[in-house]
Amino acid sequence: MTEMKTIGIIGGGQLGLMIVEQAHLLGARTICLDPAPDAPAFKVSDDHIVASFDDSAALEMLCRRSDVVTYEFENVPGDLLIALEKRYNIKQGFRPLFDSQDRLREKENARAGGLHTPRYVAVDDMDSLRTGVADLGYPCVYKTRTLGYDGHGQVLLHGDIDLGKVKPYLGQPGILEEFVCFDYEASAVVVSDGDRTIVFPIGRNIHRDGILDLCIVPAAMSPTVQEQIVEGSKTFMDRCGYRGILAIEYFVRGEEVLFNEMAPRPHNSGHYTIEGCTTNQFRELCRYLLDEPLEEPRLLAPTVMKNILGEDLEAAERLAVEGHPNVYVHIYGKSECRPKRKMGHVTFVGITEEEYRARWSDRFVRG
């Protein structure tokens, strides 16, 4: 009988929760580390550690009690992970995490890996901001290079009057990017074991207030754009030497595809894969971690994934009780509900975007 392996997960949020669920289906144990004693993943994980992400002793304990370690949270202190990677089986390695933690490094790495990006310049103070604006022109977008997410740490600049809005961020590393008037955003979830790389069906993402609202699959796009995203993502993974899971967001403008950002973990836009595909992003990450062969994903039917924030939690809970066929409600079990916090998602399998809007969108505050 094969000995049961233990997957250690740095982070105990909803992504950790769904990794644990799939790990159990594959016969593995799990242990999670998170600073919140009521972290969602703790409810289903075999074991857990309550500690901050910069607690080196706790991280060491997690690694020591695991056969393989992964992360569902980007902002793990790099110096700690580099030291641990030398002694423990952190199979994805530090590199994809390191590259994703700085927007400037991320963009430079994307170009080196064969992808196209919007134009950008580094910004650290008002002088470099003005120089960058003169180079890129208005409109443009200022972003902090680290720790920004869901629209935080970003300022859209339409003219000189907006430069003052950046002042609170100056003094820390920043990046100025040209504003891309794109037709839509698409995302690819990619998993590679070094010998084989799989790409899940491409989704079209619709954001509201800088936060993902809907993911529509399959994304309506030309075969040329589809090939650019699929083959470009595979080439990028290979050139960078990345292994495990990577989610890449792209801007699509006509037939042009531009890299936006990446995350070396399962992604909100890939939640539709749980019911919408023959396999899902969490399962394939676990297959990789457990040294099992990857499975090629196939879309079962047109699918719409609705992100549930705090203001729509009650509507999602009502929907779950009603028990509609092919409507799958996931509530993450977070103890505090507040507006704009991700509290769950709903996957509608077998419907198009138009059918979703006609039948379901008016159930939610955010539509």
Side-chain angles (χ1 to χ4, degrees):
M1 182 176 178
T2 304
E3 183 181 355
M4 181 180 290
K5 291 185 177 181
T6 298
I7 298 174
I9 305 168
I10 303 173
Q14 64 265 21
L15 299 179
L17 168 70
M18 290 180 269
I19 293 171
V20 169
E21 290 172 341
Q22 294 301 317
H24 286 168
L25 291 174
L26 292 173
R29 294 182 74 258
T30 58
I31 176 172
C32 300
L33 181 149
D34 197 277
D38 57 352
F42 288 179
K43 297 178 178 66
V44 294
S45 187
D46 300 283
D47 201 355
H48 67 267
I49 299 170
V50 179
S52 65
F53 294 121
D54 60 359
D55 186 331
S56 58
L59 286 169
E60 177 113 22
M61 181 187 301
L62 176 79
C63 292
R64 194 168 55 244
R65 294 166 61 180
S66 306
D67 295 293
V68 61
V69 175
T70 189
Y71 34 76
E72 59 103 67
F73 176 75
E74 281 101 322
N75 296 317
V76 182
D79 55 341
L80 297 180
L81 205 60
I82 290 172
L84 291 168
E85 184 186 3
K86 295 174 182 176
R87 292 181 286 118
Y88 297 101
N89 185 18
I90 304 177
K91 199 174 178 191
Q92 282 191 253
F94 170 71
R95 184 61 191 272
L97 191 70
F98 177 76
D99 290 339
S100 70
Q101 288 177 334
D102 183 308
R103 285 192 170 96
L104 179 62
R105 185 165 59 237
E106 185 181 52
K107 290 288 193 301
E108 292 174 341
N109 190 58
R111 287 187 175 182
L115 300 177
H116 300 286
T117 74
R119 293 181 300 139
Y120 60 86
V121 294
V123 169
D124 299 305
D125 52 30
M126 186 57 72
D127 287 341
S128 57
L129 177 63
R130 292 185 182 280
T131 300
V133 166
D135 182 25
L136 301 181
Y138 291 119
C140 53
V141 184
Y142 170 87
K143 301 178 181 179
T144 55
R145 280 170 54 178
T146 60
L147 301 179
Y149 65 96
D150 289 343
H152 297 284
Q154 300 186 21
V155 180
L156 178 60
L157 306 176
H158 291 284
D160 289 351
I161 194 172
D162 294 321
L163 294 178
K165 297 177 182 178
V166 181
K167 282 186 178 180
Y169 301 109
L170 296 178
Q172 61 180 310
I175 184 173
L176 191 69
E177 301 177 13
E178 69 169 312
F179 179 79
V180 179
C181 188
F182 55 90
D183 298 326
Y184 56 91
E185 182 191 275
S187 59
V189 176
V190 190
V191 183
S192 177
D193 61 11
D195 294 321
R196 184 183 187 193
T197 302
I198 61 171
V199 181
F200 283 87
I202 308 302
R204 178 168 62 87
N205 301 328
I206 298 174
H207 289 76
R208 182 176 294 187
D209 301 326
I211 304 173
L212 181 67
D213 185 38
L214 298 174
C215 184
I216 315 297
V217 190
M221 58 178 55
S222 71
T224 301
V225 170
Q226 174 92 10
E227 183 177 9
Q228 283 186 72
I229 292 175
V230 172
E231 296 306 318
S233 298
K234 288 181 177 181
T235 299
F236 178 62
M237 286 282 282
D238 182 60
R239 287 188 182 179
C240 295
Y242 292 159
R243 299 293 180 265
I245 193 166
L246 189 72
I248 310 174
E249 294 180 351
Y250 294 98
F251 294 139
V252 180
R253 182 172 58 190
E255 297 291 285
E256 184 182 20
V257 176
L258 298 171
F259 171 94
N260 179 30
E261 60 186 20
M262 71 181 203
R265 54 163 174 77
H267 197 258
N268 198 175
S269 67
H271 292 347
Y272 81 90
T273 62
I274 298 174
E275 289 90 17
C277 291
T278 51
T279 186
N280 64 71
Q281 61 171 344
F282 303 98
R283 177 172 292 234
E284 294 313 305
L285 170 60
C286 289
R287 286 186 193 276
Y288 165 74
L289 295 171
L290 297 170
D291 299 315
E292 295 187 6
L294 301 180
E295 179 183 328
E296 191 71 33
R298 180 173 55 83
L299 187 66
L300 293 171
T303 298
V304 175
M305 191 281 294
K306 165 68 177 174
N307 210 21
I308 299 299
L309 304 187
E311 50 267 51
D312 279 320
L313 179 59
E314 289 185 4
E317 291 174 335
R318 287 194 295 269
L319 200 59
V321 172
E322 293 169 11
H324 298 278
N326 299 320
V327 176
Y328 303 91
V329 181
H330 295 255
I331 305 298
Y332 301 150
K334 296 180 178 180
S335 57
E336 181 186 359
C337 176
R338 59 178 184 267
K340 296 191 178 182
R341 189 183 192 195
K342 295 173 185 175
M343 302 300 296
H345 71 270
V346 182
T347 305
F348 300 86
V349 179
I351 67 170
T352 63
E353 179 185 357
E354 291 72 22
E355 291 168 332
Y356 164 79
R357 295 194 184 281
R359 183 176 180 186
W360 300 108
S361 66
D362 62 358
R363 299 286 297 265
F364 304 104
V365 173
R366 291 171 59 86

